[in-house]
Amino acid sequence: AAPAAGTVKVWSFPELLKVNPQSGELLEKGPVWKGDVKLTGARNEFVAFQVAVQSDTPVRNISVAVEKPLFAESKLPTLFQKTGAIQLYREWMVPDDKQTGDARPWYPDPLIPLHGPFDLPAADNGVPRQTVQPVFVDIYIPHDAAAGVHHGTLAVRAAGDVIRRIGIEVEVLPLALPDELSFVVDLNAYSGVNGGYNISRGTPEYYKLLQSYHRIAHLDRTNLEVLGYSHM
């Protein structure tokens, strides 16, 4: 059974910081926001932050969902038409590979699209003594967004009860970023992109996976650079 709402803490922090899912401590020094979140960006830019759900006792059926969308009046790219300008991702934890045993720290790495509720601790991630589950909130500012302040809302629920509503304020600057950069940002990948998949290089399934990785890179104006050798 889910604990009382008062035992579940919800707080936010900047996009570039990482949280320890066992202790709730940030790896880097940075601010923690307990109120609404205020962001600033240009048209055709991504802005982001993170939401941490924390509890010392197990909680089931936690949901983080868009209650009031941002830029609903704007024309969104096809990629965002089903999910809107706000994209939510569950942060997947990985252990520190330089330490062993139960004492080694875990930190977020991959972002998994969030579809439906999750539990804390997460049975599928296997983090010992997990007390925090962060959710990455990615926001795309459309080309035609009006300059000025726009508002949206996220609702965090546990067992159906609203634990916290987070107001999102995005100030849109009166300029737009280009679709293509004037310089190259390479994301190196060694040997191939099929690590962790039961897919052989050179097959149609591999090329479909490769295209998906390229599309993700191009979305953020970067390039996937697949090198045919190992960095070891």
Side-chain angles (χ1 to χ4, degrees):
T7 65
V8 180
K9 300 177 182 178
V10 179
W11 43 280
S12 305
F13 57 104
E15 61 176 313
L16 297 181
L17 305 182
K18 290 191 175 185
V19 63
N20 185 315
Q22 298 166 318
S23 66
E25 296 178 353
L26 295 178
L27 175 62
E28 309 91 349
K29 291 183 179 180
V32 170
W33 307 319
K34 296 183 180 180
D36 294 345
V37 174
K38 297 182 179 181
L39 305 170
T40 302
R43 300 183 183 102
N44 199 31
E45 182 178 5
F46 286 88
V47 293
F49 68 99
Q50 300 175 73
V51 174
V53 181
Q54 183 172 10
S55 177
D56 292 332
T57 54
V59 188
R60 293 180 59 84
N61 294 323
I62 302 170
S63 69
V64 179
V66 178
E67 192 170 71
K68 179 183 178 182
L70 275 162
F71 308 115
E73 72 286 352
S74 297
K75 181 180 179 181
L76 294 170
T78 304
L79 180 65
F80 299 126
Q81 287 179 358
K82 289 184 179 180
T83 54
I86 300 176
Q87 312 284 306
L88 301 176
Y89 299 89
R90 176 186 166 200
E91 300 185 23
W92 187 266
M93 305 298 167
V94 296
D96 187 333
D97 60 2
K98 296 182 180 180
Q99 300 185 41
T100 59
D102 291 342
R104 66 178 178 174
W106 292 60
Y107 291 103
D109 192 2
L111 299 180
I112 312 299
L114 181 62
H115 300 297
F118 57 86
D119 297 335
L120 180 63
D124 57 350
N125 200 174
V127 181
R129 305 177 305 280
Q130 182 182 10
T131 65
V132 178
Q133 175 61 60
V135 172
F136 196 89
V137 184
D138 206 28
I139 303 171
Y140 172 70
I141 303 177
H143 277 281
D144 62 346
V149 176
H150 300 253
H151 295 90
T153 307
L154 291 181
V156 182
R157 293 179 170 85
D161 296 330
V162 176
I163 303 300
R164 170 88 181 280
R165 283 186 170 88
I166 302 173
I168 306 172
E169 180 181 298
V170 178
E171 181 182 1
V172 178
L173 302 176
L175 69 150
L177 297 185
D179 288 331
E180 297 182 7
L181 292 177
S182 57
F183 54 91
V184 176
V185 178
D186 276 345
L187 303 176
N188 282 3
Y190 295 94
S191 300
V193 298
N194 56 325
Y197 298 94
N198 187 24
I199 297 175
S200 299
R201 293 173 62 183
T203 62
E205 292 79 11
Y206 177 81
Y207 289 118
K208 183 178 180 180
L209 178 65
L210 182 63
Q211 183 187 37
S212 297
Y213 274 103
H214 276 289
R215 292 185 65 190
I216 292 174
H218 292 167
L219 180 65
D220 287 292
R221 304 179 188 83
T222 60
N223 296 278
L224 181 63
E225 188 71 44
V226 182
L227 306 174
Y229 53 85
S230 172
H231 66 288
M232 299 297 291

